[in-house]
């Protein structure tokens, strides 16, 4: 009597699964240019794009057992890429890189220079006419043009004109050394 296994050998599920994974891995490699193009929507630097695509591919290959054959592999990869980008973006906002922090401190001018510039600005403001100074100070303090016009008792166009003339006068009085 012959056994059932000799007539119909049991399929080797491990080999079938490995063939499917190999086909999926080959398809992932074929989709790499599409991933790069999609990553370009989020990033501009080629190095950053390469890093994002590489991280996406690593995550996809490590999570290949979560992929359901028959569904869109491209959509699955794009979702991983987008989620990876969002996670990295949030992390960068939360945890600034040391170089970014150092650059912020390097670009700050000494406090004495700012104090000197403030005194120069105060002196120049006193040389402006009252209506121009008041209009400029209100707008510079964050008051809307409409509200500042009501406070000054004039039309918006008049107020904008006063602010513009006050700015021009300050530039002439202070020179270009205030604009850095």
């Amino acid at each position: 009597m012959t056994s059932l296994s000799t007539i119909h050998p049991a399929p080797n599920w491990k080999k079938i699964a490995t063939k499917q994974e190999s086909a999926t891995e080959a398809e992932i490699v074929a989709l790499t240019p599409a991933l790069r193009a999609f990553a370009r929507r989020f990033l501009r630097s080629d190095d950053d794009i390469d890093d994002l695509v590489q991280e996406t591919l690593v995550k996809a290959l490590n999570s290949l057992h979560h992929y359901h054959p028959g569904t869109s592999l491209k959509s699955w990869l794009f979702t991983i890429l987008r989620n990876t980008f969002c996670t990295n973006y949030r992390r960068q906002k939360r945890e600034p890189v040391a170089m970014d922090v150092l650059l912020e401190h390097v670009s700050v001018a000494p406090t004495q220079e700012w104090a000197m510039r403030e005194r120069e600005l105060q002196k120049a403001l006193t040389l402006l006419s009252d209506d121009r100074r008041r209009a400029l100070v209100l707008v510079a303090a964050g008051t809307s043009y409409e509200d500042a016009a009501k406070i000054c008792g004039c039309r918006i166009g008049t107020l904008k004109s006063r602010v513009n003339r006050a700015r021009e006068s300050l530039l002439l009085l202070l020179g270009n050394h205030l604009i850095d």
Side-chain angles (χ1 to χ4, degrees):
M1 189 170 202
T2 58
S3 75
L4 190 59
S5 61
T6 56
I7 297 172
H8 298 289
N12 189 343
W13 294 110
K14 197 166 197 158
K15 277 188 178 180
I16 293 172
T18 306
K19 285 182 183 180
Q20 281 181 336
E21 284 181 5
S22 296
T24 305
E25 289 171 1
E27 194 175 346
I28 288 173
V29 170
L31 287 170
T32 302
L35 283 172
R36 284 188 52 75
F38 186 59
R40 200 169 293 286
R41 293 180 178 208
F42 302 111
L43 301 165
R44 297 288 170 242
S45 165
D46 285 338
D47 292 335
D48 292 340
I49 290 169
D50 289 340
D51 290 345
L52 180 60
V53 170
Q54 181 179 1
E55 190 173 350
T56 300
L57 292 173
V58 168
K59 285 182 178 183
L61 292 172
N62 287 337
S63 303
L64 200 54
H65 60 280
H66 290 295
Y67 172 70
H68 302 293
T71 60
S72 175
L73 181 63
K74 187 175 182 180
S75 295
W76 186 67
L77 290 171
F78 280 20
T79 301
I80 293 172
L81 187 138
R82 187 195 68 230
N83 291 344
T84 302
F85 171 77
C86 290
T87 301
N88 291 344
Y89 180 80
R90 285 187 206 107
R91 184 179 305 124
Q92 286 173 352
K93 289 293 181 188
R94 190 175 57 243
E95 304 167 3
V97 179
M99 195 61 158
D100 295 338
V101 173
L102 287 176
L103 288 176
E104 287 177 14
H105 292 295
V106 169
S107 64
V108 175
T111 56
Q112 336 53 320
E113 185 178 340
W114 283 108
M116 199 169 76
R117 286 184 175 188
E118 181 185 6
R119 282 193 299 273
E120 291 173 0
L121 181 61
Q122 290 293 335
K123 185 177 178 184
L125 280 171
T126 61
L127 298 174
L128 295 176
S129 65
D130 289 339
D131 59 339
R132 289 182 184 177
R133 180 176 51 250
R134 188 173 185 198
L136 181 66
V137 169
L138 284 170
V139 170
T143 307
S144 68
Y145 280 103
E146 294 89 12
D147 293 340
K150 289 177 188 173
I151 292 169
C152 292
C154 63
R155 294 181 177 185
I156 288 181
T158 304
L159 181 89
K160 288 182 178 182
S161 177
R162 288 178 184 173
V163 169
N164 187 42
R165 287 189 183 118
R167 288 177 181 158
E168 288 175 358
S169 297
L170 283 178
L171 280 175
L172 286 174
L173 291 169
L174 297 170
N176 290 336
H177 69 277
L178 256 188
I179 305 172
D180 285 0

